[in-house]
Amino acid sequence: MGAVKRNTLSVLFIIKKAKLLKNGEAPICMRITVNKRVAEVMIKRSIPIDLWNQKKECSKGKDRVAAELNHYINTVRAKVLQIHRELEIDNKPITADIIKDCFYGRDKVQRSLLEVYAEHNEKCRALIGKEYTESTVTKFDTSINRLKEYIRSNYHRDDIMLAELDGQFIRDFDFWLKTDKHCQNNSALKHLKNLKKVIRIALANDWIKKDPFYGIHFKQDEVNVEFLSREELDILMNKEFTIKRLEQVRDVFVFCCFTALAFVDVQQLSREHLIKDNNGALWIRKARQKTNQMCNVPVLSIPQRILRKYEDNAECIKKGVLLPVISNQRMNAYLKEIADVCGIAKRLTTHVARHTAATVVFLANDVSMENVSKILGHSNIRMTQHYAKVLDSSIMRDMANVERNFIGK
């Protein structure tokens, strides 16, 4: 990492010719510049335009009034330099706005970006299991680490004050993520959205006056998530495995294909989440870990067989869960192995099961979008539409109706 840059201070006195007072004089303004960021202070003095010497930043008059004005300007300049020196000695953050506030005697505590970000992450960590999952908080930690790297790389500092943030900082951070860290657009967008959440906290607490995201619009790229076809799902279900771990991972995956449960929800699934209705039908009623939205899932015969298969599993009994679910990372690794064994060319992950459920199992069999949304535990139907892929089979079914109508005429 390069040497820490010193703050560059400039103090300039100018007159505001466009804002003349009633007596015809121009007010005098002190312009403070620190690291190219500017703050202006009206020093409550004025002067006739023809008496101002901009080169020397003083009055060119020879009388007592001019002498007093020039002395006052020198005093104000000295005060600003003293404030800057004291901030440096105390190793405090220095910006043009901070110096301005100190000059006016309102040197309130200035908050830094990473300080506020770290506080946000700690609060989220305290709410794991209540409002956040551990994986979500881990993503916040990853985002703050990326931000630390960016600030060190571009600003050669360990932190940056909230007052220094502007649109250029945001755009440069986006560019840095895509070039230095080789993030794809959607990955970079996740870090920016996390940063925007922290900025909203700063705005709400009046720690920052202007929103650096104002006028900046980012567009998320459409992602085509894989799902299994009916034929591929049949191959997977009917495959005989001699390796127990692969068989268990396959069973959990198939269970998710018929219940649309996300990985964390199937991992936590316990007997308390199973209920029978008045007709004796078995249901899963569980609040989704991610959104806390309740999902209502009828348990069909295939997932019921899987549940019965692991009723006496020692590992499940010990953990108080219904299925032997390993970690997401290991499960995805085994799914890749399963795909190879089954001759499935698609990249299988735990989330592919959820998409397969929504698309091939439910929507392709005429389950309504509203009911699929309820099964998935979505808060609105727009989220469900992301899962709703148009299948060739459904197109052909609809076009067959067109064919019959025209042939019949």
Side-chain angles (χ1 to χ4, degrees):
M1 190 173 73
V4 176
K5 289 182 179 179
R6 285 181 58 85
N7 292 295
T8 58
L9 171 69
S10 168
V11 182
L12 177 70
F13 290 87
I14 60 173
I15 60 172
K16 297 283 190 177
K17 296 180 182 179
K19 296 183 179 180
L20 298 182
L21 304 177
K22 290 182 179 180
N23 62 5
E25 293 185 351
I28 301 173
C29 172
M30 174 175 60
R31 183 172 290 165
I32 303 167
T33 306
V34 176
N35 298 332
K36 298 182 181 179
R37 300 293 295 271
V38 177
E40 291 190 343
V41 176
M42 305 307 294
I43 67 170
K44 298 181 180 180
R45 294 291 189 277
S46 60
I47 187 174
I49 294 176
D50 60 338
L51 288 181
W52 181 250
N53 186 331
Q54 186 56 61
K55 188 175 182 180
K56 294 184 178 181
E57 301 174 40
C58 66
S59 171
K60 53 188 177 185
K62 303 297 183 182
D63 56 3
R64 180 179 59 82
V65 173
E68 288 179 354
L69 174 61
N70 290 341
H71 175 71
Y72 180 74
I73 290 173
N74 288 334
T75 301
V76 170
R77 188 193 303 274
K79 182 179 178 180
V80 170
L81 295 175
Q82 178 67 23
I83 290 169
H84 180 262
R85 187 157 48 247
E86 288 174 358
L87 290 172
E88 278 194 326
I89 292 171
D90 295 338
N91 199 28
K92 291 182 177 179
I94 302 173
T95 69
D97 286 326
I98 289 174
I99 293 175
K100 178 180 176 179
D101 286 337
C102 291
F103 179 83
Y104 281 131
R106 55 173 190 245
D107 46 334
K108 58 185 177 183
V109 177
Q110 298 286 332
R111 305 298 302 272
S112 70
L113 175 58
L114 295 179
E115 174 194 4
V116 174
Y117 210 138
E119 285 180 9
H120 163 269
N121 287 11
E122 285 305 311
K123 287 179 180 177
C124 292
R125 186 167 289 104
L127 292 171
I128 289 177
K130 299 180 179 71
E131 292 184 21
Y132 296 96
T133 63
E134 189 168 345
S135 62
T136 298
V137 176
T138 299
K139 289 172 185 175
F140 288 145
D141 288 337
T142 301
S143 288
I144 194 175
N145 288 334
R146 289 286 179 268
L147 198 56
K148 286 177 182 177
E149 288 182 65
Y150 165 65
I151 291 171
R152 290 194 190 108
S153 174
N154 281 35
Y155 294 84
H156 306 286
R157 291 152 61 184
D158 291 327
D159 204 347
I160 190 167
M161 303 309 296
L162 286 170
E164 296 179 80
L165 298 182
D166 56 12
Q168 194 61 48
F169 178 93
I170 305 300
R171 285 186 287 270
D172 287 347
F173 182 39
D174 178 48
F175 180 77
W176 180 85
L177 286 169
K178 293 172 181 174
T179 53
D180 283 49
K181 306 312 292 184
H182 307 292
C183 289
Q184 296 299 316
N185 181 64
N186 288 1
S187 297
L189 217 56
K190 289 176 183 176
H191 294 302
L192 291 165
K193 285 181 177 178
N194 290 340
L195 174 58
K196 192 169 186 176
K197 184 171 184 275
V198 174
I199 294 299
R200 285 201 300 268
I201 293 171
L203 287 165
N205 286 280
D206 205 29
W207 296 330
I208 185 172
K209 299 298 181 185
K210 296 180 180 178
D211 183 0
F213 280 93
Y214 180 78
I216 297 177
H217 303 286
F218 298 105
K219 185 177 180 182
Q220 187 161 331
D221 294 337
E222 183 68 27
V223 177
N224 291 317
V225 180
E226 292 279 17
F227 59 90
L228 296 184
S229 67
R230 173 64 187 271
E231 293 73 23
E232 289 167 334
L233 182 56
D234 286 340
I235 291 170
L236 193 68
M237 288 193 295
N238 296 324
K239 184 69 178 178
E240 293 288 339
F241 288 97
T242 56
I243 302 173
K244 183 181 176 182
R245 61 176 170 82
L246 294 184
E247 182 183 0
Q248 290 184 345
V249 168
R250 185 274 309 274
D251 289 344
V252 172
F253 183 87
V254 170
F255 185 86
C256 292
C257 285
F258 283 88
T259 60
L261 290 182
F263 169 79
V264 68
D265 294 313
V266 74
Q267 187 182 47
Q268 296 171 351
L269 192 65
S270 63
R271 193 154 298 281
E272 68 183 74
H273 300 124
L274 294 181
I275 64 166
K276 283 190 176 182
D277 63 18
N278 295 333
N279 298 317
L282 190 64
W283 291 70
I284 293 173
R285 276 185 57 82
K286 183 184 184 301
R288 287 200 65 207
Q289 178 71 33
K290 182 178 180 181
T291 63
N292 207 37
Q293 291 287 326
M294 185 63 70
C295 54
N296 298 290
V297 188
V299 186
L300 305 177
S301 58
I302 292 174
Q304 282 193 44
R305 283 202 302 269
I306 294 172
L307 288 177
R308 285 195 295 271
K309 182 176 179 179
Y310 293 98
E311 274 180 342
D312 300 322
N313 182 277
E315 182 186 350
C316 293
I317 294 171
K318 181 181 177 182
K319 293 182 178 179
V321 294
L322 298 179
L323 294 171
V325 183
I326 56 178
S327 71
N328 195 24
Q329 185 177 9
R330 286 170 61 206
M331 189 162 172
N332 284 336
Y334 293 156
L335 282 171
K336 184 177 184 297
E337 193 174 340
I338 288 169
D340 291 339
V341 171
C342 293
I344 297 172
K346 294 170 182 174
R347 179 175 174 266
L348 291 192
T349 65
T350 55
H351 205 61
V352 170
R354 191 163 160 85
H355 278 263
T356 301
T359 306
V360 175
V361 177
F362 301 146
L363 291 171
N365 289 289
D366 296 329
V367 179
S368 71
M369 185 74 73
E370 290 77 13
N371 284 336
V372 173
S373 183
K374 192 67 177 175
I375 292 170
L376 294 173
H378 284 164
S379 56
N380 62 69
I381 206 163
R382 285 184 62 191
M383 297 172 67
T384 312
Q385 288 167 344
H386 172 66
Y387 288 77
K389 310 295 180 182
V390 178
L391 299 173
D392 289 344
S393 58
S394 64
I395 295 173
M396 183 57 70
R397 184 177 62 237
D398 291 343
M399 292 302 287
N401 292 331
V402 177
E403 175 81 354
R404 279 193 296 273
N405 287 335
F406 276 89
I407 289 176
K409 285 188 176 182

